[in-house]
Amino acid sequence: MNVFITGGTGCIGQYVTLAIAGRGHKTKVLSRTPEKYAPMLKMGDIEIVGGLMTDYEKIADYVKGCDAVISIALGWGNEPVSMLKNDTEATVNLLEISEKAGVEKFIFTSSTAAMGHNRPNMNETYCNLPLDLYGSTKGAIEAYVLGFAKYFPEAGKEAKKVSMKRNVIRPGYTFATPCFTGGTTQLDPRFRNIAEAVIQNKPVRLTQHDGTQFLSAGQIGELYAALLESDFNEEVFLGLAADFVTWERIARIALEETPESKSDIVLEDKGWDAEPMLYDVSKMERVFGLKFTGEDEIRSHIKWNLEMARAGK
């Protein structure tokens, strides 16, 4: 397949691009700074093209002849209207451009933030109750992607049906060791902060029982590739590990990897329950046979962060 990817050089996207190219598909990746990611060109049948999510004429040209589009890029805004314009509107334009170009498959990257309020055993059938603008825009785009089964009919005319298959992946906390020097990692600084504290022999200050179902970008790349090659339509898949790992455990891994460190772990008790409310990721296993655990990948990632901290990077 010929696959167009927005955000294909980012934290998640770099590994999605490599996973898809590794299966023999030709990928075309949209990037604001294509020259920065030149090393990726050696890793598969990958083309990196310049542009923004809002460069609609360019995007319309890029998706010509593509069999699939994967939307991973995020357009940010600090207020409702700017978030709507930069992310929701931009992605819905990509959705419509893709359908009009004859694209067969469209995968949208949402987030567990669209689901919002934690509830026991949350799965893909739970209603979205977002807590912030990020979750709101993700939930809004989900509604457009899944609801775009046909065009709204003009008066007296029959509605045109949409043949493009449209699916959603909702990642949770996804971390990434860059796939090449100078590549991308997650924006959240907590892995880095732990590594720096351990290297500098400072206390590692954390919240007791705080953690999540961490998944590496390499692991979630497998989910994208499996969904791309499937015939599913209008489905949602959670993308998280099956196991819950605390930040305290991550700090202890960092100390295990740095036995010379004089750091200790200081936990603040905020009254958080020791028993976490987990996302139910059984659909991913049931449908694709994919079930991930986080600790091996986490150890590798914390080792990379320790190396960066030692180098002062």
Side-chain angles (χ1 to χ4, degrees):
M1 277 186 277
N2 293 320
V3 185
F4 178 69
I5 307 174
T6 70
T9 57
C11 173
I12 292 175
Q14 61 189 326
Y15 283 96
V16 173
T17 298
L18 294 179
I20 291 168
R23 296 198 183 199
H25 303 295
K26 184 176 181 179
T27 62
K28 184 185 297 182
V29 178
L30 181 72
S31 174
R32 288 173 294 181
T33 54
E35 66 282 353
K36 179 180 177 182
Y37 299 98
M40 290 183 69
L41 302 177
K42 301 176 183 178
M43 299 180 181
D45 196 348
I46 300 168
E47 177 186 4
I48 302 179
V49 295
L52 304 174
M53 290 175 64
T54 51
D55 290 337
Y56 302 132
E57 289 186 8
K58 281 186 178 181
I59 288 173
D61 188 53
Y62 290 151
V63 301
K64 288 177 182 176
C66 287
D67 304 295
V69 168
I70 300 177
S71 170
I72 306 175
L74 172 67
W76 194 255
N78 295 317
E79 298 174 345
V81 172
S82 59
M83 197 69 164
L84 175 72
K85 180 178 178 62
N86 297 335
D87 197 56
T88 309
E89 182 179 316
T91 309
V92 172
N93 268 284
L94 175 62
L95 177 71
E96 184 173 316
I97 289 168
S98 300
E99 196 283 329
K100 288 182 175 179
V103 170
E104 298 173 6
K105 299 179 180 182
F106 189 98
I107 298 175
F108 169 61
T109 304
S110 182
S111 168
T112 53
M115 302 173 77
H117 290 279
N118 284 336
R119 288 150 281 171
N121 301 312
M122 291 173 71
N123 62 34
E124 291 85 353
T125 67
Y126 277 47
C127 66
N128 288 338
L129 299 170
L131 296 169
D132 56 21
L133 289 177
Y134 173 66
S136 296
T137 194
K138 290 296 188 182
I141 298 168
E142 280 190 17
Y144 272 98
V145 170
L146 299 174
F148 187 36
K150 59 184 178 181
Y151 286 83
F152 200 82
E154 297 179 27
K157 295 184 179 180
E158 187 174 345
K160 177 192 170 186
K161 293 184 179 179
V162 170
S163 60
M164 183 173 68
K165 293 181 170 62
R166 296 150 285 107
N167 295 289
V168 172
I169 292 177
R170 287 183 191 151
Y173 191 115
T174 309
F175 61 90
T177 303
C179 60
F180 60 90
T181 302
T184 309
T185 187
Q186 69 276 5
L187 292 174
D188 181 273
R190 283 176 283 184
F191 276 94
R192 184 181 73 236
N193 291 346
I194 289 171
E196 289 177 350
V198 167
I199 294 300
Q200 296 169 15
N201 298 309
K202 294 180 178 179
V204 182
R205 302 186 183 279
L206 302 168
T207 300
Q208 189 174 34
H209 307 312
D210 185 17
T212 190
Q213 290 161 262
F214 295 93
L215 194 66
S216 77
Q219 291 169 321
I220 204 168
E222 296 182 44
L223 175 60
Y224 278 86
L227 181 56
L228 174 69
E229 294 177 345
S230 76
D231 288 323
F232 286 108
N233 188 31
E234 298 175 4
E235 293 286 348
V236 178
F237 291 90
L238 285 168
L240 303 97
D243 57 331
F244 184 93
V245 178
T246 64
W247 285 105
E248 179 187 0
R249 176 59 189 149
I250 291 170
R252 296 203 181 281
I253 292 172
L255 289 171
E256 290 170 10
E257 296 294 333
T258 319
E260 71 277 12
S261 176
K262 303 286 194 298
S263 293
D264 56 1
I265 299 171
V266 180
L267 297 176
E268 181 182 358
D269 186 355
K270 295 183 179 179
W272 292 21
D273 202 333
E275 190 65 32
M277 284 190 284
L278 298 178
Y279 292 92
D280 177 3
V281 293
S282 60
K283 181 178 180 180
M284 179 170 56
E285 181 180 11
R286 184 174 65 253
V287 172
F288 297 120
L290 296 174
K291 181 178 181 180
F292 302 109
T293 56
E295 186 151 321
D296 287 346
E297 296 282 337
I298 286 170
R299 184 175 293 275
S300 176
H301 188 55
I302 197 66
K303 287 170 72 173
W304 175 79
N305 277 273
L306 290 167
E307 290 173 9
M308 294 297 103
R310 287 190 186 98
K313 296 181 179 179

